[in-house]
Amino acid sequence: MGKEIFDVTIIGGGPAGLYSAFYSGLRAMKTKIIEFQPQLGGKVLIYPEKMVWDVGGLPPVPGKQLMDQMIEQGLTFNPKVVLNEKAVSISRDENGIFLLEAASGRIHYSKTVIVAVGSGILMPQKLNIEGAERFELGNLHYTVKSLKTFKDKTVIISGGGNSAIDWANELEPVAKKVYLVYRKNCLSGHEAQITQLENSSVECFPYTTISKLLASDDHENISQVELTSNKTGESFYLEVDDVIVNHGFDQDTSLLKNTKFDIQLVDQYFVKGTATSETSMEGLYAAGDILNHEGKLNLIAGAFQDAANAVNKAKQYIEPDANAVAMVSSHNDVFKKRNRELVREMTKH
Ligand SMILES: Cc1cc2nc3c(=O)[nH]c(=O)nc-3n(C[C@H](O)[C@H](O)[C@H](O)COP(=O)(O)OP(=O)(O)OC[C@H]3O[C@@H](n4cnc5c(N)ncnc54)[C@H](O)[C@@H]3O)c2cc1C
């Protein structure tokens, strides 16, 4: 089978990658997204229940809804989406075509590349207890997908960082009882969140670790946890309905280090680029949290701007006579047919 060459291949399916895919379709380029996770959404997958206030033009919106809308927009022009695919290195052939090698052994061919890998591949640090993984389909959670799941439940949260504290505070009014266990004496979170926690009914166990998980009769769920004090070595048991673990994330940032040409990096990770998303390699652009430049805004709003700039540069790289920027959507012919359908729908009632 001949190799299929795309105009733009975007590595990373978070906000920057998704908006790049939308904009690339808008500029009529053949587009592919490669994403390691089994789903699109990027870091927003970590906070589906948190309210996001600072995306321009949107009233406060839960992360999940924002993510769903970004995915819908990103897929407007039907880019090819390759999930469960880890890009491991980038090289170029003698004709300047980029070769993206994946862990699966596949090679993706592209005229241009947009690196939108955010903070790299994030995997939650798992509970270090033998056999714990068998409860992951039951009541052992590494993220809070929906607060409702924990309504009137007895929940234990393990972790002393920002997210663990946030979850404890958010679950306190929803759950029957919330316990928080952490290895050290102090919590490392925002002052206001810690004060809220201290004034709540959340019961905290410092210097404590979950040392054992005891299964329910069906063997699928945890019914009790054994907690051990790091100071005295003494153990005790708590009956729980759910266990939430937030021990941070393992980060795989190897892609740019394995890349077969020099890309200028900042702090050995971030791509040193321009305010218009160019990197030190022609034809290769960056967008979102991975990009570093003087005007960089590490927000979703900033990712959108980087993405549009990256796509505009990619378009001109492939077609030097193309306009530097795309027509605004209200005047853009590609939306004419869709607008007619939308107006018909809006005026139906
Ligand atoms: C808890 C939390 C709350 C936040 N709240 C807000 C907020 O309220 N407002 C706001 O504007 N911002 C917020 N942010 C920041 C915002 O989420 C990021 O700025 C945004 O997600 C960056 O998007 P991105 O596409 O650059 O990167 P990411 O969202 O990190 O997406 C990168 C994607 O690339 C994939 N990837 C990485 N390496 C590879 C590889 N080698 N091969 C294939 N795929 C790969 C990853 O799996 C990931 O899906 C928050 C962040 C966190 C952690």
Side-chain angles (χ1 to χ4, degrees):
M1 206 172 72
K3 58 188 184 194
E4 190 180 6
I5 302 175
F6 282 74
D7 292 328
V8 182
T9 298
I10 299 156
I11 310 173
L18 289 165
Y19 197 70
S20 298
F22 166 72
Y23 218 78
S24 176
L26 178 71
R27 300 224 61 183
M29 293 195 280
K30 183 173 169 177
T31 307
K32 182 189 273 183
I33 309 178
I34 297 175
E35 169 56 57
F36 168 76
Q37 300 287 355
Q39 52 185 320
L40 296 167
K43 264 201 285 286
V44 189
L45 290 168
I46 299 174
Y47 52 97
E49 289 278 308
K50 277 173 93 82
M51 294 304 279
V52 179
W53 287 76
D54 49 2
V55 176
L58 282 185
V61 60
K64 164 92 172 69
Q65 189 185 328
L66 174 63
M67 188 176 76
D68 289 347
Q69 290 173 192
M70 288 192 297
I71 294 172
E72 188 184 336
Q73 183 180 46
L75 301 182
T76 305
F77 298 101
N78 302 315
K80 181 160 178 73
V81 178
V82 187
L83 298 174
N84 299 303
E85 185 83 321
K86 175 179 170 184
V88 291
S89 82
I90 313 175
S91 57
R92 286 188 105 158
D93 70 10
E94 61 287 1
N95 302 315
I97 297 294
F98 287 96
L99 276 61
L100 309 183
E101 195 188 322
S104 62
R106 271 187 291 259
I107 308 277
H108 302 268
Y109 300 91
S110 196
K111 292 179 190 166
T112 65
V113 173
I114 297 178
V115 178
V117 293
S119 316
I121 292 170
L122 298 178
M123 301 295 277
Q125 278 184 19
K126 299 282 176 94
L127 206 55
N128 193 13
I129 294 178
E130 214 185 301
E133 62 286 350
R134 75 189 154 113
F135 298 115
E136 286 179 27
L137 288 176
N139 58 353
L140 173 60
H141 314 268
Y142 288 97
T143 185
V144 173
K145 291 204 175 107
S146 159
L147 294 176
K148 267 193 262 162
T149 311
F150 305 100
K151 190 167 163 28
D152 300 327
K153 300 282 185 66
T154 299
V155 182
I156 187 161
I157 302 174
S158 176
N162 257 322
S163 297
I165 298 168
D166 278 0
W167 285 345
N169 283 330
E170 283 171 30
L171 286 172
E172 193 247 8
V174 179
K176 183 162 119 199
K177 176 77 194 163
V178 177
Y179 300 107
L180 182 65
V181 290
Y182 41 100
R183 270 183 308 137
K184 297 186 188 152
N185 182 30
C186 57
L187 293 161
S188 54
H190 300 300
E191 222 170 275
Q193 262 70 32
I194 295 179
T195 309
Q196 184 184 341
L197 183 83
E198 285 169 349
N199 292 327
S200 74
S201 68
V202 174
E203 200 168 331
C204 294
F205 296 101
Y207 294 122
T208 305
T209 312
I210 298 182
S211 42
K212 240 185 231 164
L213 304 172
L214 284 81
S216 56
D217 292 342
D218 64 8
H219 300 289
E220 283 170 12
N221 286 292
I222 302 159
S223 63
Q224 281 188 52
V225 289
E226 180 195 71
L227 301 177
T228 301
S229 160
N230 304 333
K231 274 189 141 177
T232 63
E234 277 171 27
S235 297
F236 59 104
Y237 294 86
L238 285 178
E239 285 195 9
V240 294
D241 296 312
D242 286 281
V243 179
I244 302 175
V245 175
N246 186 276
H247 292 175
F249 289 86
D250 286 324
Q251 219 181 349
D252 178 345
T253 57
S254 53
L255 171 66
L256 295 172
K257 288 172 199 129
N258 294 336
T259 290
K260 309 245 163 63
F261 43 73
D262 277 340
I263 304 177
Q264 270 186 289
L265 300 180
V266 177
D267 295 338
Q268 294 179 18
Y269 178 64
F270 299 101
V271 173
K272 187 170 171 48
T274 65
T276 47
S277 304
E278 289 156 299
T279 71
S280 55
M281 168 57 66
E282 257 198 324
L284 186 133
Y285 308 94
D289 282 359
I290 186 69
L291 178 63
N292 177 281
H293 62 72
E294 211 192 0
K296 179 68 202 157
L297 188 61
N298 274 91
L299 286 175
I300 291 167
F304 293 162
Q305 173 161 7
D306 295 339
N309 278 327
V311 168
N312 285 334
K313 288 293 174 192
K315 178 77 179 177
Q316 281 204 309
Y317 177 77
I318 296 173
E319 290 174 44
D321 294 335
N323 289 336
V325 293
M327 191 83 89
V328 289
S329 65
S330 60
H331 292 73
N332 202 311
D333 280 351
V334 293
F335 293 114
K336 264 194 179 150
K337 183 166 170 275
R338 288 166 203 251
N339 283 344
R340 270 200 300 275
E341 285 160 12
L342 287 172
V343 169
R344 202 175 306 132
E345 195 60 31
M346 280 159 64
T347 52
K348 218 158 72 180
H349 303 292

